Amino acid sequence: MARPVQQFLDKVSNDPRFYLPLPFMWMVDIDAEIVDEVQEALNRANIDMPVRSPDDWRGGGDTASCLVAQEVTLPNESAVVTNIGMNNRGGAMPGHGVVERTDFLSRSVTVNFIESDNDITDSVFRPWITAIGTTGLIDGKLRGKALTLFQYGKDGKLRKTYSFKDFFPTNCEGYTINYQDDDFTVKTVSFAYTDYSIK
């Protein structure tokens, strides 16, 4: 009879139901229509910052072919709970109620994009943040419809899909370029959103 550790390793190795996902196997798709709105907002503000066409970073129609993420930090989700009830109820325990859910800015999603020749971080997300800084978000035109993250397992099959609605970038972290032999240049972008779903 095989030991528990051996049974576990056998299943992880041979049974697809137990395949461990590869955390760096992420493909990313963003709402391409937002690019025109970003460029228009920059033009209105007289900011000379061209935004790259979606055809450049989408890879000729494949919605996720050029946007590869090394790491994704999924949002924290919490609710504030408080005691609800009246004083002097003869020793009865108070009830509990939810005061609020964490606001969308506090539960942002962060994506570490692997830089390619079609650098979406510098050609889309940095101009987008600049456009938001000059135009604002009140009219909703600078919010993308959906940021979709696809996670794949080690068998190459889709494992989970996270879709973040009404999203926009809030931060593009700075980076250092030097002559070291780094394998990849990774650029980190944080996004806010109104809600999300997992499939």
Side-chain angles (χ1 to χ4, degrees):
M1 181 173 166
R3 293 179 297 177
V5 172
Q6 185 63 47
Q7 289 175 337
F8 170 77
L9 293 176
D10 287 343
K11 288 185 177 180
V12 169
S13 299
N14 303 310
D15 190 336
R17 295 175 301 168
F18 292 89
Y19 279 171
L20 299 177
L22 296 175
F24 54 85
M25 284 295 295
W26 293 91
M27 294 292 195
V28 183
D29 184 31
I30 72 167
D31 171 22
E33 296 175 7
I34 197 66
V35 171
D36 293 333
E37 296 291 346
V38 170
Q39 189 67 72
E40 186 178 325
L42 292 171
N43 292 342
R44 282 195 309 267
N46 293 321
I47 297 175
D48 185 18
M49 188 180 280
V51 184
R52 190 179 289 269
S53 164
D55 293 337
D56 291 339
W57 42 263
R58 277 199 161 186
D62 183 352
T63 58
S65 62
C66 289
L67 302 184
V68 180
Q70 184 183 49
E71 183 178 44
V72 172
T73 303
L74 295 169
N76 177 52
E77 185 67 69
S78 64
V80 178
V81 180
T82 188
N83 292 332
I84 296 177
M86 298 181 300
N87 294 329
N88 303 319
R89 292 178 301 156
M93 295 295 290
H96 298 92
V98 175
V99 177
E100 64 181 358
R101 183 182 178 193
T102 308
D103 67 274
F104 69 90
L105 286 176
S106 298
R107 47 188 172 102
S108 64
V109 59
T110 301
V111 181
N112 290 345
F113 289 96
I114 298 174
E115 182 183 31
S116 65
D117 287 341
N118 298 319
D119 186 359
I120 190 172
T121 304
D122 289 342
S123 63
V124 177
F125 297 132
R126 285 183 182 274
W128 192 349
I129 291 174
T130 303
I132 289 171
T134 61
T135 304
L137 293 165
I138 294 175
D139 62 6
K141 290 183 178 180
L142 291 178
R143 292 187 186 211
K145 292 179 182 176
L147 169 70
T148 307
L149 308 176
F150 304 94
Q151 185 190 38
Y152 292 87
K154 70 176 184 180
D155 57 354
K157 294 180 181 177
L158 183 63
R159 182 173 181 268
K160 286 185 180 179
T161 301
Y162 299 81
S163 184
F164 299 88
K165 304 171 186 175
D166 296 325
F167 78 103
F168 55 93
T170 58
N171 184 51
C172 280
E173 289 186 3
Y175 53 92
T176 301
I177 299 175
N178 54 34
Y179 291 103
Q180 292 182 1
D181 294 330
D182 291 335
D183 293 332
F184 298 105
T185 299
V186 177
K187 297 181 177 179
T188 302
V189 184
S190 297
F191 300 91
Y193 57 91
T194 57
D195 218 330
Y196 68 97
S197 60
I198 304 173
K199 294 181 182 178

